[in-house]
Amino acid sequence: MSKEAKKMVANNKKALFDYFIEDKYEAGISLAGTEVKSLRMGKCSIKEAFIRIEKGEVYVYNMHISPYEKGNIFNKDPLRVKKLLLHRYEIRKIEGQIAQKGYTVVPLNVYFKGSLVKVEIGLAKGKKLYDKRQEIAKKDQRREAEKQFKVKNLY
């Protein structure tokens, strides 16, 4: 049994910086044909996107999929609300955690799994300012260490 290749379309680095990701889910997404063609060309942004659960269904807002050039009248609004496809038990589990513990749901990645478009969503808890500062300090230290390592290996 071969694993299907994942072709990354968009990822949300800001979400990883702003939130602690507790749990991840893979969701399908309901799209029109021209939107899929546009995604195949890599024209998608989820930087400003967020997810809401309404009446037992999951929707993603502000996910920008650029109009397909050859799509003319079949193109949809780039920022329209798109429905995510999850199992009911997953939706209930997410809803329960959002209600109790103060979690939020954010889109992390958009990718192709075989011929299907998938969205990886994360159950996240917001970081405080000092957490972000610590993360920036760690990145700086790692970058400095790598720079020192490169300098040593040159001589």
Side-chain angles (χ1 to χ4, degrees):
M1 189 167 132
S2 66
K3 276 197 167 184
E4 293 178 355
K6 289 184 180 180
K7 181 183 173 254
M8 188 67 66
V9 178
N11 68 345
N12 192 353
K13 290 179 184 173
K14 187 133 176 76
L16 297 174
F17 181 72
D18 287 339
Y19 299 100
F20 293 113
I21 307 299
E22 303 286 322
D23 209 358
K24 293 180 182 179
Y25 297 92
E26 183 179 72
I29 185 167
S30 178
L31 296 172
T34 54
E35 289 174 323
V36 176
K37 288 181 180 185
S38 187
L39 281 174
R40 286 204 186 280
M41 296 171 71
K43 300 195 175 181
C44 176
S45 172
I46 56 172
K47 282 186 176 72
E48 302 295 319
F50 61 95
I51 294 173
R52 283 199 185 135
I53 299 176
E54 298 165 1
K55 298 177 185 170
E57 294 185 338
V58 184
Y59 296 96
V60 62
Y61 292 82
N62 284 355
M63 179 177 164
H64 188 277
I65 298 177
S66 300
Y68 183 58
E69 295 121 33
K70 299 176 181 130
N72 57 42
I73 60 167
F74 300 106
N75 279 330
K76 303 282 187 214
D77 175 30
L79 289 174
R80 77 180 180 89
V81 179
K82 296 157 191 74
K83 183 177 176 183
L84 294 180
L85 310 170
L86 284 162
H87 291 284
R88 193 165 310 280
Y89 69 89
E90 290 176 322
I91 295 171
R92 283 198 199 109
K93 184 177 175 184
I94 293 169
E95 252 179 332
Q97 289 184 319
I98 289 172
Q100 283 182 343
K101 302 177 187 171
Y103 285 102
T104 186
V105 184
V106 291
L108 301 173
N109 297 316
V110 178
Y111 56 91
F112 280 95
K113 188 174 181 181
S115 62
L116 304 174
V117 180
K118 299 288 184 178
V119 179
E120 185 178 46
I121 62 175
L123 193 63
K125 194 168 222 150
K127 285 185 182 177
K128 303 281 189 260
L129 186 60
Y130 58 83
D131 291 325
K132 293 180 188 179
R133 287 182 183 151
Q134 286 174 350
E135 195 167 301
I136 291 170
K138 283 180 188 173
K139 281 183 185 176
D140 288 343
Q141 285 176 340
R142 188 168 46 244
R143 200 175 300 124
E144 196 63 38
E146 286 174 2
K147 189 185 276 185
Q148 291 296 324
F149 183 71
K150 282 183 182 176
V151 169
K152 280 184 180 178
N153 286 342
L154 287 175
Y155 298 107

